[in-house]
Amino acid sequence: MPGPGPAPQAPAARGTGTLPDSRAARALQRVTETVLGPYQSAVVRIGFAGTWLVFLLFELPNRHRLYGPEGPFSWDMGRQMVAGSDAFTGLLWSQSAWWFEAVYGVAVLSSLLLLLGWRTRAASALFLFGVLSLQNRTILVGDGGDNVVHLMAIYLVFTRCARVWSLDARRAARRAPGRPAGDAAGPLLWALVGTGLLAGTLLNRTDTFVIALLWTLWVVQGLWWLVSRYAQGSQPFVLLDSLANLVHNTALVVIMAEVCLIYATAGWYKIQGSRWQDGTALYYPLKLEYFTPWPGLSDLLAASGLMVMVLTYATVFVQVAFPFTLFNRKVKNVLLVAMIVEHAGIALILGLPFFSLAMIAADAVFLPTVFLVWLGAATVRTRDRVIRRTPWAKRLRAADGGPPRTLVG
């Protein structure tokens, strides 16, 4: 007669600290092993880098009056303002004209590199340097759009925003699996940035937090390259990769919370204003010369009291309601389209294109992944169709022995 089997064990208690909760373990594993929102972070990167790049190029003839020696604040006044606010700006490291041109050039170049996604980690740090240096030099020149660019430049440093739609992603896809990067551009760029950072540290007389942040990024990037080069797949590599994913996902959540905070505070402050309560707030900027690039269109809109009231109340409703719609995907997408259309209207009617571009770029963090994937595929198809129809592409195909042909469709 067989003996009795082993005594049944009581199920382990959940959440007591002896065994990890399965849901919490899965959530932690996903946060540390997965880059969440790769398309959303990429479109935010492209949006803000493109917005700042277009702004810098547009204001290129006026750069000396905005941020340079001909600006509204003299050198001494700028030093006093920066000392009072403990802000960071590299433009106050030297009074020479060539230094101003160099900083402005770095801002333009880093915006272009971040837009293309080339050496994105270094480009994002240089982008942060350029944004802070220019905006903090003359703090009263900007508007709400500059404030958003200012914040997002800080957050983008912590994201892995080049996993898709970037030259870095294309280079990684072309590299054989498991093969470390063997190009010399990365170490050379790292050495150049380190040399410039050392010089900036010696010259810096402003905020030391940003300098410390840049040094931390520089050291971490060098450590990441060494581990990726000589210890890929090892425990240090897995640890650094998990930490990078965790930092990226945290930064992405902060970006989303920042956008919700911007709309919530703007909407609730509008509710407290009497002009927003009676539905006439939009009428007044339509009568200001500074906000009327198209006087005829502004007069036509201001002449309709019903239209002014509807747009005024709709603006408040969308801004107040948007943070609460994140729990319903369909409603969120509808209000997201409404906000993008609203900012497009602000750019056209009130003449604030850079503010609108910055806010649309911030709104893009909530765009559905399915839509972004479709948009990326449609962009690639359009690009290929345009390239194949160019004369040089026809001549190249003819030289290869194939008849020149166009893509119809």
Side-chain angles (χ1 to χ4, degrees):
M1 181 175 178
Q9 298 179 357
R14 301 181 61 183
T16 60
T18 56
L19 292 177
D21 184 83
S22 58
R23 293 183 180 179
R26 286 196 300 268
L28 180 62
Q29 182 179 11
R30 184 183 182 189
V31 169
T32 56
E33 294 185 358
T34 308
V35 176
L36 302 178
Y39 292 95
Q40 286 79 3
S41 59
V43 75
V44 170
R45 165 182 59 84
I46 294 172
F48 280 100
T51 299
W52 186 241
L53 177 62
V54 172
F55 173 79
L56 293 178
L57 295 178
F58 181 81
E59 298 293 351
L60 189 63
N62 306 316
R63 65 188 184 279
H64 294 117
R65 289 190 292 271
L66 287 176
Y67 308 111
E70 302 176 7
F73 300 112
S74 63
W75 173 266
D76 294 333
M77 187 179 297
R79 292 291 297 273
Q80 293 176 8
M81 294 186 64
V82 169
S85 60
D86 198 25
F88 172 86
T89 173
L91 285 178
L92 294 178
W93 294 354
S94 175
Q95 299 187 51
S96 60
W98 69 267
W99 176 247
F100 168 77
E101 300 294 348
V103 172
Y104 201 92
V106 167
V108 173
L109 180 60
S110 62
S111 300
L112 177 61
L113 295 181
L114 187 61
L115 174 66
L116 299 176
W118 186 84
R119 310 292 172 178
T120 311
R121 186 66 67 189
S124 63
L126 294 175
F127 180 77
L128 172 64
F129 172 81
V131 170
L132 297 184
S133 296
L134 293 176
Q135 290 188 355
N136 289 338
R137 175 62 178 89
T138 313
I139 59 176
L140 300 181
V141 170
D143 55 18
D146 294 300
N147 295 334
V148 178
V149 174
H150 192 112
L151 294 172
M152 295 303 171
I154 300 175
Y155 301 149
L156 283 175
V157 171
F158 299 98
T159 62
R160 309 185 81 171
C161 54
R163 303 303 291 264
V164 297
W165 297 347
S166 67
L167 296 180
D168 289 346
R170 187 177 69 170
R171 184 176 63 254
R174 291 180 176 179
R175 191 168 59 242
R179 181 181 179 183
D183 60 327
L188 180 60
L189 179 62
W190 185 78
L192 291 176
V193 171
T195 303
L197 188 56
L198 178 60
T201 303
L202 298 177
L203 295 172
N204 179 47
R205 299 177 183 177
T206 55
D207 185 18
T208 57
F209 173 77
V210 177
I211 290 293
L213 173 61
L214 295 177
W215 272 116
T216 302
L217 294 172
W218 185 79
V219 172
V220 170
Q221 185 63 21
L223 179 62
W224 173 256
W225 184 87
L226 290 174
V227 174
S228 301
R229 176 70 176 173
Y230 300 105
Q232 191 171 21
S234 62
Q235 290 185 356
F237 177 85
V238 174
L239 176 61
L240 289 178
D241 187 64
S242 299
L243 289 177
N245 291 339
L246 180 61
V247 171
H248 163 85
N249 296 331
T250 303
L252 192 63
V253 172
V254 172
I255 292 175
M256 294 180 178
E258 187 70 46
V259 176
C260 292
L261 183 63
I262 290 174
Y263 283 118
T265 53
W268 286 105
Y269 270 109
K270 286 182 175 65
I271 289 178
Q272 302 175 37
S274 59
R275 296 294 177 259
W276 291 96
Q277 293 175 6
D278 59 26
T280 62
L282 183 61
Y283 174 83
Y284 299 97
L286 293 175
K287 291 300 182 179
L288 296 177
E289 183 179 358
Y290 182 79
F291 295 108
T292 54
W294 314 98
L297 180 60
S298 300
D299 293 339
L300 179 63
L301 184 60
S304 175
L306 177 62
M307 182 62 66
V308 170
M309 183 183 66
V310 170
L311 292 178
T312 300
Y313 286 149
T315 300
V316 177
F317 173 78
V318 169
Q319 293 182 354
V320 173
F322 178 75
F324 300 99
T325 63
L326 299 181
F327 302 100
N328 189 300
R329 182 178 303 178
K330 294 182 179 180
V331 179
K332 182 262 296 182
N333 291 337
V334 171
L335 284 188
L336 188 60
V337 173
M339 287 194 301
I340 293 176
V341 173
E342 173 191 344
H343 291 306
I346 292 175
L348 176 64
I349 299 174
L350 300 182
L352 297 172
F354 300 111
F355 166 79
S356 299
L357 286 175
M359 292 308 303
I360 291 175
D363 295 340
V365 73
F366 294 105
L367 288 174
T369 302
V370 175
F371 170 76
L372 292 176
V373 172
W374 172 85
L375 181 63
T379 303
V380 171
R381 289 194 300 268
T382 304
R383 180 201 62 186
D384 294 341
R385 185 179 295 115
V386 171
I387 292 177
R388 291 174 184 175
R389 289 182 177 180
T390 55
W392 65 268
K394 297 177 183 179
R395 290 194 297 267
L396 182 61
R397 287 194 298 269
D400 291 339
R405 54 188 175 85
T406 59
L407 182 62
V408 180

Short mmCIF file of all heavy atoms in Angstrom, two decimals, residues 62-88:
data_model
loop_
_atom_site.label_atom_id
_atom_site.label_comp_id
_atom_site.label_asym_id
_atom_site.label_seq_id
_atom_site.Cartn_x
_atom_site.Cartn_y
_atom_site.Cartn_z
N ASN A 62 18.21 88.67 -37.22
CA ASN A 62 17.96 89.45 -36.00
C ASN A 62 18.64 88.86 -34.77
O ASN A 62 18.34 89.27 -33.65
CB ASN A 62 16.45 89.50 -35.74
CG ASN A 62 15.67 90.02 -36.93
OD1 ASN A 62 16.06 91.00 -37.55
ND2 ASN A 62 14.57 89.36 -37.26
N ARG A 63 19.55 87.92 -34.96
CA ARG A 63 20.13 87.21 -33.83
C ARG A 63 20.90 88.14 -32.89
O ARG A 63 20.88 87.95 -31.67
CB ARG A 63 21.02 86.08 -34.32
CG ARG A 63 22.26 86.52 -35.10
CD ARG A 63 22.98 85.33 -35.70
NE ARG A 63 24.21 85.70 -36.36
CZ ARG A 63 24.30 86.21 -37.59
NH1 ARG A 63 23.18 86.41 -38.28
NH2 ARG A 63 25.46 86.51 -38.13
N HIS A 64 21.57 89.16 -33.44
CA HIS A 64 22.34 90.06 -32.58
C HIS A 64 21.43 90.93 -31.71
O HIS A 64 21.78 91.26 -30.57
CB HIS A 64 23.25 90.95 -33.43
CG HIS A 64 24.33 90.19 -34.14
ND1 HIS A 64 24.41 90.12 -35.51
CD2 HIS A 64 25.37 89.45 -33.67
CE1 HIS A 64 25.46 89.39 -35.86
NE2 HIS A 64 26.04 88.96 -34.76
N ARG A 65 20.27 91.30 -32.24
CA ARG A 65 19.34 92.11 -31.45
C ARG A 65 18.56 91.28 -30.44
O ARG A 65 18.07 91.81 -29.44
CB ARG A 65 18.38 92.85 -32.39
CG ARG A 65 19.02 93.96 -33.19
CD ARG A 65 18.00 94.79 -33.91
NE ARG A 65 17.34 94.04 -34.96
CZ ARG A 65 17.78 93.97 -36.22
NH1 ARG A 65 18.89 94.60 -36.56
NH2 ARG A 65 17.13 93.26 -37.12
N LEU A 66 18.41 89.99 -30.72
CA LEU A 66 17.67 89.14 -29.79
C LEU A 66 18.56 88.64 -28.65
O LEU A 66 18.19 88.76 -27.47
CB LEU A 66 17.08 87.94 -30.54
CG LEU A 66 15.88 88.22 -31.45
CD1 LEU A 66 15.49 86.95 -32.20
CD2 LEU A 66 14.71 88.75 -30.66
N TYR A 67 19.70 88.08 -29.00
CA TYR A 67 20.53 87.42 -28.00
C TYR A 67 21.96 87.93 -27.96
O TYR A 67 22.71 87.54 -27.07
CB TYR A 67 20.57 85.90 -28.26
CG TYR A 67 19.21 85.28 -28.40
CD1 TYR A 67 18.76 84.78 -29.63
CD2 TYR A 67 18.36 85.17 -27.31
CE1 TYR A 67 17.52 84.19 -29.75
CE2 TYR A 67 17.12 84.59 -27.42
CZ TYR A 67 16.70 84.10 -28.66
OH TYR A 67 15.46 83.53 -28.78
N GLY A 68 22.35 88.74 -28.91
CA GLY A 68 23.74 89.12 -29.03
C GLY A 68 24.09 90.46 -28.40
O GLY A 68 23.35 90.99 -27.54
N PRO A 69 25.18 91.05 -28.85
CA PRO A 69 25.65 92.31 -28.25
C PRO A 69 24.72 93.49 -28.48
O PRO A 69 24.80 94.48 -27.75
CB PRO A 69 27.01 92.53 -28.94
CG PRO A 69 26.95 91.72 -30.19
CD PRO A 69 26.09 90.55 -29.89
N GLU A 70 23.82 93.39 -29.47
CA GLU A 70 22.88 94.47 -29.73
C GLU A 70 21.54 94.23 -29.04
O GLU A 70 20.57 94.93 -29.34
CB GLU A 70 22.65 94.63 -31.23
CG GLU A 70 23.93 94.92 -32.01
CD GLU A 70 23.68 94.97 -33.50
OE1 GLU A 70 22.50 94.92 -33.91
OE2 GLU A 70 24.65 95.04 -34.28
N GLY A 71 21.47 93.26 -28.15
CA GLY A 71 20.22 92.92 -27.49
C GLY A 71 19.78 93.95 -26.48
O GLY A 71 20.50 94.91 -26.17
N PRO A 72 18.60 93.77 -25.92
CA PRO A 72 18.06 94.75 -24.97
C PRO A 72 18.80 94.78 -23.63
O PRO A 72 18.71 95.76 -22.90
CB PRO A 72 16.61 94.30 -24.78
CG PRO A 72 16.62 92.84 -25.12
CD PRO A 72 17.65 92.67 -26.18
N PHE A 73 19.53 93.69 -23.31
CA PHE A 73 20.26 93.64 -22.05
C PHE A 73 21.76 93.67 -22.33
O PHE A 73 22.27 92.87 -23.11
CB PHE A 73 19.92 92.37 -21.27
CG PHE A 73 18.46 92.26 -20.92
CD1 PHE A 73 17.67 91.28 -21.49
CD2 PHE A 73 17.88 93.14 -20.03
CE1 PHE A 73 16.33 91.18 -21.17
CE2 PHE A 73 16.55 93.05 -19.71
CZ PHE A 73 15.76 92.08 -20.28
N SER A 74 22.43 94.60 -21.69
CA SER A 74 23.88 94.69 -21.85
C SER A 74 24.55 93.51 -21.15
O SER A 74 23.90 92.69 -20.50
CB SER A 74 24.39 96.01 -21.25
OG SER A 74 24.13 96.04 -19.84
N TRP A 75 25.87 93.43 -21.30
CA TRP A 75 26.61 92.34 -20.69
C TRP A 75 26.46 92.35 -19.17
O TRP A 75 26.16 91.32 -18.56
CB TRP A 75 28.08 92.47 -21.09
CG TRP A 75 28.99 91.50 -20.39
CD1 TRP A 75 29.69 91.71 -19.25
CD2 TRP A 75 29.27 90.17 -20.80
NE1 TRP A 75 30.41 90.59 -18.91
CE2 TRP A 75 30.17 89.62 -19.85
CE3 TRP A 75 28.87 89.37 -21.87
CZ2 TRP A 75 30.67 88.34 -19.95
CZ3 TRP A 75 29.37 88.09 -21.96
CH2 TRP A 75 30.25 87.58 -21.03
N ASP A 76 26.64 93.52 -18.55
CA ASP A 76 26.54 93.61 -17.09
C ASP A 76 25.12 93.32 -16.61
O ASP A 76 24.93 92.64 -15.59
CB ASP A 76 26.98 95.00 -16.62
CG ASP A 76 28.46 95.24 -16.87
OD1 ASP A 76 29.23 94.26 -16.91
OD2 ASP A 76 28.84 96.42 -17.06
N MET A 77 24.13 93.82 -17.34
CA MET A 77 22.75 93.56 -16.94
C MET A 77 22.41 92.07 -17.08
O MET A 77 21.73 91.49 -16.23
CB MET A 77 21.79 94.39 -17.80
CG MET A 77 20.34 94.30 -17.35
SD MET A 77 19.25 95.33 -18.36
CE MET A 77 19.91 96.96 -17.99
N GLY A 78 22.93 91.47 -18.14
CA GLY A 78 22.71 90.04 -18.30
C GLY A 78 23.34 89.23 -17.20
O GLY A 78 22.75 88.26 -16.69
N ARG A 79 24.54 89.61 -16.78
CA ARG A 79 25.20 88.92 -15.67
C ARG A 79 24.41 89.06 -14.38
O ARG A 79 24.29 88.10 -13.60
CB ARG A 79 26.61 89.48 -15.49
CG ARG A 79 27.57 89.18 -16.63
CD ARG A 79 27.92 87.72 -16.67
NE ARG A 79 28.61 87.31 -15.46
CZ ARG A 79 29.92 87.41 -15.29
NH1 ARG A 79 30.68 87.93 -16.25
NH2 ARG A 79 30.47 87.00 -14.19
N GLN A 80 23.85 90.24 -14.14
CA GLN A 80 23.06 90.45 -12.93
C GLN A 80 21.78 89.63 -12.94
O GLN A 80 21.40 89.04 -11.92
CB GLN A 80 22.74 91.94 -12.77
CG GLN A 80 23.95 92.82 -12.51
CD GLN A 80 23.59 94.29 -12.46
OE1 GLN A 80 22.42 94.66 -12.48
NE2 GLN A 80 24.61 95.15 -12.42
N MET A 81 21.12 89.55 -14.10
CA MET A 81 19.88 88.78 -14.18
C MET A 81 20.15 87.30 -14.01
O MET A 81 19.40 86.59 -13.33
CB MET A 81 19.19 89.05 -15.52
CG MET A 81 18.70 90.48 -15.69
SD MET A 81 17.75 90.71 -17.19
CE MET A 81 16.35 89.66 -16.88
N VAL A 82 21.22 86.81 -14.62
CA VAL A 82 21.55 85.40 -14.49
C VAL A 82 21.97 85.07 -13.06
O VAL A 82 21.61 84.01 -12.51
CB VAL A 82 22.66 85.03 -15.49
CG1 VAL A 82 23.21 83.65 -15.20
CG2 VAL A 82 22.13 85.08 -16.92
N ALA A 83 22.72 85.97 -12.44
CA ALA A 83 23.13 85.73 -11.05
C ALA A 83 21.93 85.71 -10.11
O ALA A 83 21.88 84.93 -9.15
CB ALA A 83 24.12 86.80 -10.62
N GLY A 84 20.93 86.55 -10.40
CA GLY A 84 19.75 86.58 -9.55
C GLY A 84 18.87 85.36 -9.68
O GLY A 84 18.26 84.91 -8.71
N SER A 85 18.80 84.80 -10.88
CA SER A 85 17.95 83.63 -11.12
C SER A 85 18.71 82.32 -11.09
O SER A 85 18.10 81.25 -11.17
CB SER A 85 17.25 83.77 -12.48
OG SER A 85 18.21 83.85 -13.53
N ASP A 86 20.04 82.38 -11.02
CA ASP A 86 20.89 81.19 -11.03
C ASP A 86 20.63 80.34 -12.26
O ASP A 86 20.62 79.10 -12.22
CB ASP A 86 20.67 80.36 -9.76
CG ASP A 86 21.81 79.38 -9.51
OD1 ASP A 86 22.94 79.65 -9.98
OD2 ASP A 86 21.58 78.34 -8.87
N ALA A 87 20.43 81.00 -13.40
CA ALA A 87 20.17 80.31 -14.66
C ALA A 87 21.49 80.00 -15.36
O ALA A 87 22.54 80.54 -15.02
CB ALA A 87 19.27 81.17 -15.55
N PHE A 88 21.40 79.15 -16.36
CA PHE A 88 22.58 78.74 -17.12
C PHE A 88 22.55 79.36 -18.51
O PHE A 88 21.53 79.31 -19.20
CB PHE A 88 22.63 77.22 -17.25
CG PHE A 88 23.73 76.74 -18.18
CD1 PHE A 88 25.01 76.54 -17.70
CD2 PHE A 88 23.46 76.49 -19.51
CE1 PHE A 88 26.02 76.11 -18.55
CE2 PHE A 88 24.46 76.05 -20.36
CZ PHE A 88 25.75 75.86 -19.88
#
